[in-house]
Amino acid sequence: MNKQEMNEIELIIGKILRVGVIISVTVMIVGMVLLLIKGDGGYGSHFPTTFAAIGRGLLQFKPDAILMLGVFLLILTPVLRVIVSIYAFFKEQDYLYVYITVFVLIILVGAMIAGYWIGK
């Protein structure tokens, strides 16, 4: 991989991080505005913690579900960055970093799954 291709991948990674944060913050702002307008999150004293509950809440335009979607998108942003980094290291034929980054991705996904099951 030449230097120009590496620079392009670095620019893509930077753009992914910026766009991911902007989208997640925008979704959270929409949720906050709805929460201020409605005065209630739509769930009483608890938050939606499962994908099914968040999906149902999104269809019903519940502020807490929209806020949780924003948080979920914010969490996914660095995960997407790790996936793009795996591709970049693979293109560079830097297989040690491919293995290390795949290991980091496995840890991230494992932590999300563990957090999901512990939160139930």
Side-chain angles (χ1 to χ4, degrees), residues 26-94:
T26 302
V27 170
M28 285 189 262
I29 289 171
V30 168
M32 287 297 295
V33 168
L34 279 174
L35 183 62
L36 291 172
I37 291 171
K38 291 186 174 186
D40 181 20
Y43 289 94
S45 63
H46 67 282
F47 287 97
T49 56
T50 65
F51 294 120
I54 293 172
R56 284 191 304 272
L58 290 172
L59 291 175
Q60 297 169 357
F61 237 60
K62 292 184 178 183
D64 285 352
I66 295 170
L67 287 168
M68 291 301 286
L69 175 65
V71 170
F72 182 68
L73 292 173
L74 189 61
I75 291 169
L76 283 183
T77 300
V79 174
L80 185 57
R81 187 243 190 267
V82 169
I83 292 169
V84 173
S85 295
I86 292 169
Y87 170 76
F89 292 135
F90 184 78
K91 288 286 283 185
E92 273 185 10
Q93 297 180 345
D94 194 346

Side-chain angles (χ1 to χ4, degrees), residues 92-107:
E92 273 185 10
Q93 297 180 345
D94 194 346
Y95 298 113
L96 175 63
Y97 281 104
V98 169
Y99 298 135
I100 292 170
T101 313
V102 166
F103 183 68
V104 169
L105 181 62
I106 290 169
I107 290 172

Side-chain angles (χ1 to χ4, degrees), residues 9-22:
I9 290 175
E10 288 175 7
L11 289 173
I12 290 169
I13 289 172
K15 186 179 266 188
I16 286 170
L17 292 173
R18 277 191 304 277
V19 170
V21 169
I22 290 169

Side-chain angles (χ1 to χ4, degrees), residues 104-118:
V104 169
L105 181 62
I106 290 169
I107 290 172
L108 286 171
V109 171
M112 285 191 288
I113 291 169
Y116 175 76
W117 289 109
I118 291 171

